[in-house]
């Protein structure tokens, strides 16, 4: 097809999920995209990525003839799995985090770990703590500054660590 591919064989998409071929878009785990939020190209292998991307593509296909500004695809990556009877969820991308904060004891049945860059939450892994994941994902999307000391207390709602 002549469409540009990345180092892992994935289709290279731009911020709008457009490929190097005119009027061709790519979504899902076959495509990587540049993330302004994380400052690097992401390749996300989870069905949530395939679910979210088509909204951006549809907005761009329908919006261009109407003169609308292009929609940009920059989600907070997300995945979940059930492992050994535990619900495991992850949101974000922690490659460039500079601090790790634990919420609870990983030897217990439910706990979370948060990755921060500066005072901003960039990723969260929640085991048996779906509320932490839901609140954390919103905090990542908003770029909210957090107090790491408050964040470390598993008895406090995650969002209460906002400063």
């Amino acid at each position: 097809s002549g469409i540009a591919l990345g180092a892992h064989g994935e289709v290279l998409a731009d911020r709008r999920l457009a490929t190097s071929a005119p009027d061709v878009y790519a979504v899902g785990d076959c495509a990587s995209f540049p993330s302004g939020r994380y400052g690097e190209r992401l390749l996300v292998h989870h069905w949530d990525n395939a679910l979210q991307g088509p909204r951006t593509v549809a907005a761009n296909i329908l919006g261009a003839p109407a003169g609308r500004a292009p929609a940009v695809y920059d989600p907070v990556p997300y995945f979940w799995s059930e492992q050994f009877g535990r619900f495991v969820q992850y949101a974000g991308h922690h490659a460039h985090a500079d601090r790790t904060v634990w919420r609870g004891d990983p030897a217990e049945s439910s706990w979370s770990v948060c990755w921060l860059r500066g005072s901003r939450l960039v990723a969260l892994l929640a085991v048996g703590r779906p509320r932490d994941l839901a609140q954390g994902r919103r905090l990542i999307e908003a770029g909210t500054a957090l107090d790491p000391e408050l964040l470390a207390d598993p008895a406090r709602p995650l969002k209460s660590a906002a400063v």
Side-chain angles (χ1 to χ4, degrees), residues 131-153:
R131 181 174 290 155
D132 275 6
L133 191 284
Q135 291 178 13
R137 194 171 182 184
R138 286 191 294 272
L139 292 166
I140 294 167
E141 287 172 350
T144 305
L146 302 174
D147 179 325
E149 300 304 316
L150 297 176
L151 185 63
D153 182 355

Side-chain angles (χ1 to χ4, degrees), residues 70-104:
V72 172
Y73 187 67
D74 197 10
V76 173
Y78 168 75
F79 79 82
W80 66 269
S81 181
E82 190 169 337
Q83 299 292 321
F84 306 103
R86 293 184 180 182
F87 192 52
V88 179
Q89 296 174 284
Y90 177 88
H93 182 67
H94 68 274
H96 301 293
D98 53 30
R99 184 170 186 174
T100 303
V101 177
W102 290 87
R103 290 175 52 81

